Amino acid sequence: MASIDGIYSNSMKGGAYGWARAMLELRAATFRYPVRRPRRFRPWATIPGPGIRGIDLTLSSGTILGLVGPNGAGKSTLLQVMANLLPLEDGTLSVEGTATAEACRAAIGYMPERVTWNGPGNAEQAIERLCTMRNISISNGHDLLDLVGLGNRTLDDLSTFSQGMKQRLSLAAALLGKPKILLLDEPLNGLDPVAQGAFRTLLRQLANQGTSVVISSHTLSDLERLADEFVLMHHGRIVADGPLLEIERNLGLRATIEIAGLGIPPISFGDGIEAKEIPLHEGEEWAYHLHLAKGEWTTQRRSELGPEMTFTRLQSVPAGLETVISAATGLDIEDAGFSILSEVDSDA
């Protein structure tokens, strides 16, 4: 069976080995879809419509970036701009410091939200055609089919493929040519729970080899497991970006810790702290989430909770993507079109 190390050379390693470099940069990037606005003497006149506006973004090697936002926020448009499939109306796109279309095509693998894969033939023939078109070794295409879990289905007719199998084939196509940047639009759609787990493992292995990954998904639990950093979009603009905890601080969300222990439960944790009981773990006698009205949980503040207490748990609790998105956009998660649980969670 093909492995990441067998397909990707060690020369790509970077982010996971102590250093990272800018792989892709967008500066003031703007693209808006034309919308028809007929006039008396110009029946085909258009005006700029929805899209993305003023996007500044740097993608580092070896990083998995989660792209989130409500329906219509501009996520798919941004991915297509990054893939150099949509022309910029304003601003610049550069890949490894080069702004040419050739550099983008050579460095980027793009997986759209849904590829139909209609027509006669099987997976092996489909990937071989793509290899021939791009002057890539046929054996590399076969290895990728094995890598994404289609090794025993390569000769099956494409008409028999489920949506999950088509997603695997789309991923193999995106990985052709050993791209340094991988752009994935809703890649987990149609995958069963086992395949989702294997997919997450594969993406982390790619990142460890230095590949930059951008993944857009409406399933928040999957992104929280996968992504190192996040970009939150709303109305075509970036409204927050960075590691999740950093975004939470910038949005002024309440700092929370999880605390549990033995003995008599505390009567109060002090002014400015809201306590909410949470389920106990085995052997514990009390457990709470503590929310600060303002500020952060410093080491000193934690030590003031009670030196005489016997703690079994004392750890920070991230607010999570659900809370962050609601705080940044003012929308309830259901209104924004997100799913909180992945298929794995919902089956549990």
Side-chain angles (χ1 to χ4, degrees), residues 33-191:
Y33 295 96
V35 176
R36 282 193 61 196
R37 182 65 62 86
R39 298 178 184 177
R40 182 175 181 182
F41 298 107
R42 298 179 60 197
W44 303 108
T46 62
I47 61 172
I52 60 170
R53 294 174 291 171
I55 298 293
D56 290 327
L57 176 65
T58 299
L59 180 61
S60 299
S61 61
T63 298
I64 298 180
L65 182 70
L67 187 60
V68 295
N71 289 329
K75 303 183 297 296
S76 293
T77 300
L78 177 58
L79 286 174
Q80 291 179 61
V81 165
M82 296 170 74
N84 203 35
L85 297 176
L86 293 176
L88 285 177
E89 175 186 326
D90 196 11
T92 60
L93 163 67
S94 64
V95 175
E96 294 188 284
T98 303
T100 65
E102 291 76 13
C104 292
R105 283 194 292 268
I108 292 175
Y110 172 58
M111 179 179 171
E113 180 174 358
R114 187 181 291 268
V115 179
T116 306
W117 294 108
N118 284 333
N122 53 47
E124 183 176 271
Q125 292 169 333
I127 208 74
E128 287 179 355
R129 283 195 295 267
L130 292 173
C131 288
T132 300
M133 291 168 60
R134 298 182 55 185
N135 196 28
I136 293 171
S137 166
I138 296 294
S139 63
N140 179 251
H142 292 169
D143 288 342
L144 288 171
L145 289 176
D146 195 18
L147 182 68
V148 301
L150 289 177
N152 62 343
R153 302 296 301 271
T154 58
L155 300 181
D156 291 1
D157 195 276
L158 291 174
S159 63
T160 67
F161 273 26
S162 65
Q163 179 57 35
M165 292 168 66
K166 291 177 181 178
Q167 290 290 87
R168 293 171 186 247
L169 182 55
S170 295
L171 177 60
L175 289 171
L176 282 173
K178 306 177 185 178
K180 300 176 182 178
I181 301 167
L182 192 58
L183 309 176
L184 308 172
D185 197 353
E186 298 290 347
L188 297 172
N189 285 351
L191 296 182

Side-chain angles (χ1 to χ4, degrees), residues 4 64 147 171 188 193-209 225-226:
I4 288 291
I64 298 180
L147 182 68
L171 177 60
L188 297 172
V194 174
Q196 286 187 17
F199 188 88
R200 287 191 292 267
T201 299
L202 174 61
L203 291 186
R204 179 50 61 188
Q205 290 174 338
L206 287 168
N208 289 342
Q209 291 282 11
R225 295 178 194 179
L226 271 172

Side-chain angles (χ1 to χ4, degrees), residues 303-322:
S303 66
E304 293 172 353
L305 289 174
E308 73 284 355
M309 296 180 186
T310 301
F311 295 121
T312 58
R313 272 187 278 169
L314 184 56
Q315 59 193 23
S316 296
V317 179
L321 277 176
E322 177 183 358

Side-chain angles (χ1 to χ4, degrees), residues 202-261:
L202 174 61
L203 291 186
R204 179 50 61 188
Q205 290 174 338
L206 287 168
N208 289 342
Q209 291 282 11
T211 304
S212 304
V213 180
V214 181
I215 177 171
S216 172
S217 176
H218 277 83
T219 307
L220 301 185
S221 58
D222 290 322
L223 282 182
E224 287 184 340
R225 295 178 194 179
L226 271 172
D228 305 307
E229 299 180 3
F230 297 87
V231 165
L232 174 56
M233 298 187 67
H234 193 39
H235 295 316
R237 297 185 182 274
I238 293 177
V239 295
D241 66 290
L244 190 55
L245 285 174
E246 180 182 309
I247 295 175
E248 291 171 11
R249 288 196 297 268
N250 292 341
L251 290 174
L253 297 175
R254 294 190 305 174
T256 302
I257 62 171
E258 187 172 278
I259 187 171

